[in-house]
Amino acid sequence: RLSARCDGVLAEPAGDLLDALTEAERGGLGADDLDDCSSSTWRSHLVSIHVDGQQGPTPIRLAWARSRDPDWTMADGTEVWSGARVFARMALSGEVPVAGLTLLELGCGLGLAGLACARAGAARVVLSDRDEELLAAARRSAAINGLGDRVETLPFDWDDLAAGLARLSGSAAPPTFDLAIGADIIYQEPHDRAVLCALGRLLAAGWARKAMLLTGAAAQRDGVAALCQRLGVQEDILESASADSGTVVVEDPALPSGRVDLSWSATALPGVRFGKSTRLFRFEVLRRQADDP
């Protein structure tokens, strides 16, 4: 219960202790957990997601990444950001229904959010990231958790959308996802433009029907502040009413019309680390009345 608290500094150490206790209770990583695609040289750790109403936490084992040229946010190859924990909890609790859906996770890192969606019953999950070594770790995590039949990986760089979309179109299954997600992938100011363009392209082309982003608060990260400014989020309304909504025009010369109009909504959620607030953004292509059949 302490690990799920959002009103104090106990949440993070309690979460770490819960992970360690769950690891000890399970007796560590056994030979049966390694599967045939892992080896004892790959280190891993358990992440325990507490969901209200469940008898115990849901453990998900994550293989550690060993990237030779890691992004600064994954410098040690073991970090699990709070946004991924929050999204995992929402998927496992059913607050974000994912059962039977197909999902694409952008900037998956170690893949906790996407793996939790698969554990919650998603029919197909594609974990994407620009770092091949992170994707290798994510594949091992999927196998260790018995989710290899529903979880795939895909190299996807927001700075090269055309190449990423070409890989999607060349995949074996139809490249239409019910939901595209991203958890804690916006930090610096350039990130907001790149991520919004990626979502706009996916939604406008019909690659994804809906999209969700889970971020920190605007006061915590420059990139989130820039995103809120671009969307027109009114922080006072979001803080007082816990919700805001509107529309945004995403300009992209690669689109036939050069732009796509998106509707968005933002919800303020409690975080799980140090009482920091978390934002959940939802995006869809704006359906005007004249477009309806």
Side-chain angles (χ1 to χ4, degrees):
R1 289 193 296 270
L2 284 175
S3 71
R5 282 181 55 174
C6 58
D7 57 352
V9 297
L10 288 176
E12 182 174 23
D16 293 340
L17 180 58
L18 180 62
D19 292 347
L21 289 172
T22 306
E23 180 88 62
E25 184 178 35
R26 288 168 57 94
L29 182 62
D32 292 340
D33 296 318
L34 288 171
D35 206 14
D36 58 357
C37 70
S38 301
S39 72
S40 58
T41 61
W42 275 76
R43 301 184 66 187
S44 64
H45 69 286
L46 277 177
V47 174
S48 301
I49 306 299
H50 178 82
V51 177
D52 290 338
Q54 291 187 3
Q55 186 173 3
T58 299
I60 296 177
R61 183 172 289 281
L62 298 179
W64 294 1
R66 300 185 294 188
S67 178
R68 291 181 294 272
D69 185 23
D71 181 82
W72 68 271
T73 60
M74 290 299 299
D76 63 356
T78 66
E79 184 66 41
V80 178
W81 298 103
S82 59
R85 288 180 179 264
V86 173
F87 201 99
R89 192 177 69 203
M90 295 177 72
L92 291 168
S93 68
E95 189 174 350
V96 175
V98 298
L101 301 185
T102 56
L103 287 89
L104 170 67
E105 182 178 5
L106 300 175
C108 69
L110 294 181
L112 175 61
L115 291 170
C117 289
R119 177 69 63 82
R124 180 192 179 209
V125 176
V126 175
L127 305 175
S128 71
D129 202 285
R130 70 179 185 179
D131 193 320
E132 293 274 8
E133 300 296 337
L134 288 176
L135 294 180
R139 286 193 296 272
R140 292 180 181 273
S141 297
I144 290 171
N145 289 280
L147 301 170
D149 59 333
R150 282 179 286 151
V151 176
E152 310 163 33
T153 61
L154 179 81
F156 197 108
D157 190 338
W158 307 326
D159 293 330
D160 192 358
L161 284 177
L165 293 175
R167 292 189 187 99
L168 277 177
S169 63
S171 60
T176 299
F177 297 93
D178 296 305
L179 185 63
I181 66 172
D184 262 352
I185 59 175
I186 297 179
Y187 289 86
Q188 300 170 330
E189 190 165 340
H191 296 169
D192 74 293
R193 168 66 180 169
V195 172
L196 199 56
C197 280
L199 293 182
R201 187 90 63 90
L202 289 168
L203 292 168
W207 299 87
R209 296 186 176 92
K210 297 180 181 181
M212 288 185 183
L213 287 179
L214 202 146
T215 75
Q220 299 165 10
R221 297 188 180 118
D222 293 340
V224 177
L227 175 67
C228 289
Q229 183 177 10
R230 192 181 298 275
L231 296 179
V233 175
Q234 301 183 55
E235 279 292 318
D236 55 342
I237 294 178
L238 191 56
E239 288 292 344
S240 61
S242 297
D244 195 9
S245 61
T247 61
V248 63
V249 176
V250 179
E251 297 181 351
D252 185 346
L255 295 174
S257 62
R259 55 177 276 177
V260 59
D261 295 354
L262 302 179
S263 62
W264 61 265
S265 64
T267 307
L269 303 173
V272 295
R273 293 197 171 191
F274 300 110
K276 291 182 179 179
S277 181
T278 306
R279 302 326 194 207
L280 178 65
F281 294 90
R282 302 172 187 261
F283 299 90
E284 293 185 59
V285 173
L286 182 62
R287 305 296 181 187
R288 303 186 185 279
Q289 188 173 1
D291 297 334
D292 295 336

